[in-house]
Amino acid sequence: MGSVVAGAGVNPADQRWGFWPLLPLYPYGRRATHAEELIPGEVWSFEQLQGVYYVAVPIRLTVVKVPGGLMLVNPLPPTRELLKKLEALEAVHGPVQTIVMPTASGLEHKLPLAPLARAFPKADLWVCPGQWSFPVQLPLSWLGVPERRTRVLLDDGVPHPEICDWLSLGPLDLGVGRFQEISCFHRPSGALLVTDALVGISAEPPAVFDADPTPLLFHARERGDEPFLDSVEARRRGWARLVLFASYLRPEPLDVPSLLQVLRQSFRPGLRSPRGHFGLYPFSWKDGWHQAASALMGDSAPRLQVAPVLERLVLPRARQALLLWLDELASLGAMRWLVPAHYSAPLAFTPEVVAAFKEELVQRPWAPDQGNWDFLAEIDKTLVRYRLVPRNPFTD
């Protein structure tokens, strides 16, 4: 595995993303892109960061080799930097033939779809069935997606069936819309491409943070008046806390200090800048936070899992749908790798790994209510109580 295009000397203007106010997440209008080859000559990863209050995690556009060129799966903001790196691949492997939006929700992938489509006017577009927007349901053409070259996965066929198998998880009724994700098994590489259904998390911070480790260093501190100190240990500590935040939203070992305490530690010398949020740091960590984070991460290899947010808020009453989908995956005898749209990639992912993972899910409690899961559980129970989500999510 290696870098596709070096990131040194990048012009900040090449990282500009003008549509960020539509989804105002960190890093807002400047999106650095880390690109690397995952499977030689077959699969590449283009990663950016996305988050809130420096709780940033990688989000991935996956590129795969197809007959005559390339296929892009899970769109990302097409900054000039990202497009230049794609041009370097096109020069070797041929033009972008296909762009795929394989999830019915996934606003972080849906918003960049139209700009990415305009960047590749000859590419065919494929989208998951049941696309929806909130709070107003709008057709994709109103969001700038060119209707004439857009097809619906499964309803209108599938792209590149000669080398790809397409498997659906869902549809499930979420109340405001539906959850459906269509994964792609790319036979030449043995890689399964997914969006949110599965992730693998490593204890080592992702390389995409190398361009700017500020999110890691911000959360590595214990108090708002501490300076930003860069070290391997600080980056790993910050990453572990980001994983806890992203996984549970409000993990059990997290305390929120009083407003008075937060203000007392703010605006100290060296922290009077937007980068340090002026010393405003409304977090405090209790003993046990490191053990909670370690349970989510792998040291020798990324830890395969269903993201807790997905398990507790999207699939809490749909474990059977996930297990059936895993059974489908286990039938792919040539499968060797998993490439999710978030966190680490690739992960070793054979039918034997799938079978062991399914057994683990069957044996342990599903969508728990206690401990680190308490905050997510309260959200889900509130949504059910007010009938904002259905008790039975199955649409078929």
Side-chain angles (χ1 to χ4, degrees):
M1 302 173 197
S3 176
V4 174
V5 177
V10 174
N11 185 341
D14 287 347
Q15 298 176 338
R16 188 171 298 134
W17 170 236
F19 292 101
W20 72 267
L22 297 175
L23 190 64
L25 299 176
Y26 175 86
Y28 312 112
R30 184 176 176 182
R31 304 293 177 96
T33 300
H34 171 77
E36 66 178 85
E37 185 177 58
L38 299 183
I39 300 172
E42 296 288 352
V43 182
W44 298 264
S45 170
F46 287 65
E47 293 177 43
Q48 297 176 359
L49 289 176
Q50 175 180 287
V52 177
Y53 210 83
Y54 283 146
V55 179
V57 295
I59 181 170
R60 175 177 294 107
L61 162 71
T62 303
V63 183
V64 297
K65 184 81 174 76
V66 295
L70 302 169
M71 176 170 67
L72 313 183
V73 182
N74 290 311
L76 281 187
T79 61
R80 283 206 295 265
E81 180 188 23
L82 184 145
L83 293 177
K84 287 178 180 179
K85 294 182 177 188
L86 276 176
E87 286 172 6
L89 281 183
E90 287 186 300
V92 177
H93 299 281
V96 170
Q97 303 274 357
T98 314
I99 301 172
V100 182
M101 167 70 181
T103 173
S105 46
L107 192 59
E108 68 273 21
H109 297 293
K110 190 176 302 187
L111 285 177
L113 176 59
L116 191 63
R118 287 195 295 272
F120 298 100
K122 295 183 179 180
D124 294 326
L125 310 181
W126 289 83
V127 300
C128 180
Q131 294 292 317
W132 56 278
S133 56
F134 182 84
V136 179
Q137 178 66 31
L138 298 173
L140 284 177
S141 59
W142 286 31
L143 301 177
V145 180
E147 188 173 9
R148 291 182 184 177
R149 54 190 174 106
T150 301
R151 302 177 189 176
V152 178
L153 286 165
L154 306 182
D155 292 353
D156 298 327
V158 293
H160 309 293
E162 69 278 15
I163 62 164
C164 294
D165 297 320
W166 301 83
L167 303 94
S168 179
L169 172 58
L172 303 170
D173 184 8
L174 297 181
V176 296
R178 76 200 240 175
F179 172 84
Q180 185 172 11
E181 179 177 316
I182 300 177
S183 51
C184 171
F185 176 53
H186 181 247
R187 292 195 295 273
S189 65
L192 181 78
L193 315 183
V194 302
T195 306
D196 300 312
L198 298 170
V199 296
I201 307 180
S202 171
E204 199 64 35
V208 68
F209 284 103
D210 290 347
D212 182 8
T214 297
L216 305 178
L217 306 182
F218 181 86
H219 285 285
R221 302 174 300 157
E222 305 301 331
R223 296 160 50 104
D225 55 1
E226 288 185 12
F228 285 38
L229 299 177
D230 194 359
S231 67
V232 171
E233 180 186 355
R235 291 190 182 201
R236 286 175 66 97
R237 182 168 62 251
W239 172 240
R241 290 173 175 177
L242 293 189
V243 168
L244 278 174
F245 272 122
S247 298
Y248 299 117
L249 304 186
R250 184 168 179 170
E252 186 180 35
L254 179 71
D255 265 343
V256 178
S258 68
L259 179 60
L260 180 61
Q261 182 179 344
V262 171
L263 292 176
R264 280 175 177 167
Q265 297 170 0
S266 302
F267 303 99
R268 299 298 178 91
L271 292 170
R272 297 167 184 166
S273 70
R275 177 178 182 258
H277 289 191
F278 301 97
L280 295 169
Y281 186 74
F283 310 114
S284 178
W285 293 93
K286 298 182 290 187
D287 291 342
W289 74 264
H290 189 268
Q291 291 86 344
S294 296
L296 295 167
M297 305 183 302
D299 279 314
S300 58
R303 185 179 185 278
L304 176 65
Q305 62 200 276
V306 179
V309 168
L310 187 75
E311 179 174 333
R312 197 61 190 83
L313 296 183
V314 178
L315 304 174
R317 290 161 290 278
R319 175 163 57 171
Q320 190 59 33
L322 182 67
L323 296 179
L324 290 174
W325 177 69
L326 291 174
D327 284 338
E328 281 192 86
L329 300 186
S331 69
L332 302 172
M335 186 171 61
R336 295 293 177 267
W337 304 102
L338 175 70
V339 180
H342 302 276
Y343 294 108
S344 299
L347 286 76
F349 200 65
T350 63
E352 293 75 21
V353 171
V354 174
F357 180 66
K358 178 189 173 185
E359 184 62 23
E360 175 189 330
L361 295 184
V362 169
Q363 294 298 325
R364 71 165 175 81
W366 180 253
D369 289 352
Q370 296 83 32
N372 287 303
W373 300 79
D374 179 68
F375 184 70
L376 296 175
E378 286 304 313
I379 295 175
D380 178 55
K381 291 174 184 176
T382 299
L383 294 174
V384 172
R385 185 183 310 125
Y386 290 101
R387 299 184 179 180
L388 298 175
V389 299
R391 291 185 181 277
N392 177 13
F394 296 95
T395 62
D396 295 335

